[in-house]
Amino acid sequence: ASIRTMAGVPGLLPERLAEAKRVRHCALSLVGEPIMYPHINRLISLLHENRISTYLVTNAQFPDAIRALQPVTQLYVSLDAATPETLKAIDRPLFADYWERF
């Protein structure tokens, strides 16, 4: 909605407005573990087919899913602590072997 309001701004070049409406990047992260989405590879392929870059954040708790992942533009592995004890306190891991999964 806020991009549409820019249409009436004096001096705004029409090609810049058109460029602002085009999705160029997609962050696959923020809530939950994106690699657990059952159709993540298809989604990545569709984004790349439409020339949209992909930025994926994972906590590396599913190494097999990471290995099976389509290549992404940027892969960010989130490591929230330097020791197993602090990671357990901060992240509440799902698996008993959470540290070994990194």
Side-chain angles (χ1 to χ4, degrees):
S2 61
I3 291 176
R4 276 194 301 257
T5 62
M6 296 300 295
V9 173
L12 178 66
L13 301 173
E15 59 269 17
R16 293 288 188 200
L17 181 60
E19 183 181 333
K21 291 179 181 180
R22 184 176 164 272
V23 175
R24 296 179 55 204
H25 310 286
C26 181
L28 304 165
S29 62
L30 305 177
V31 178
E33 181 59 52
I35 61 172
M36 295 314 299
Y37 174 58
H39 307 288
I40 190 66
N41 283 327
R42 181 68 183 131
L43 176 60
I44 292 167
S45 293
L46 287 170
L47 291 167
H48 289 180
E49 286 168 17
N50 287 284
R51 301 179 51 116
I52 298 171
S53 71
T54 51
Y55 173 82
L56 188 134
V57 178
T58 179
N59 63 14
Q61 290 296 292
F62 299 93
D64 291 337
I66 294 172
R67 281 189 279 281
L69 190 65
Q70 288 275 351
V72 293
T73 308
Q74 292 183 5
L75 177 64
Y76 181 91
V77 177
S78 174
L79 179 58
D80 299 334
T83 68
E85 297 77 25
T86 54
L87 185 65
K88 186 174 184 179
I90 292 170
D91 281 354
R92 297 170 297 159
L94 298 173
F95 306 101
D97 63 342
Y98 63 94
W99 190 256
E100 291 76 20
R101 288 172 171 258
F102 283 114

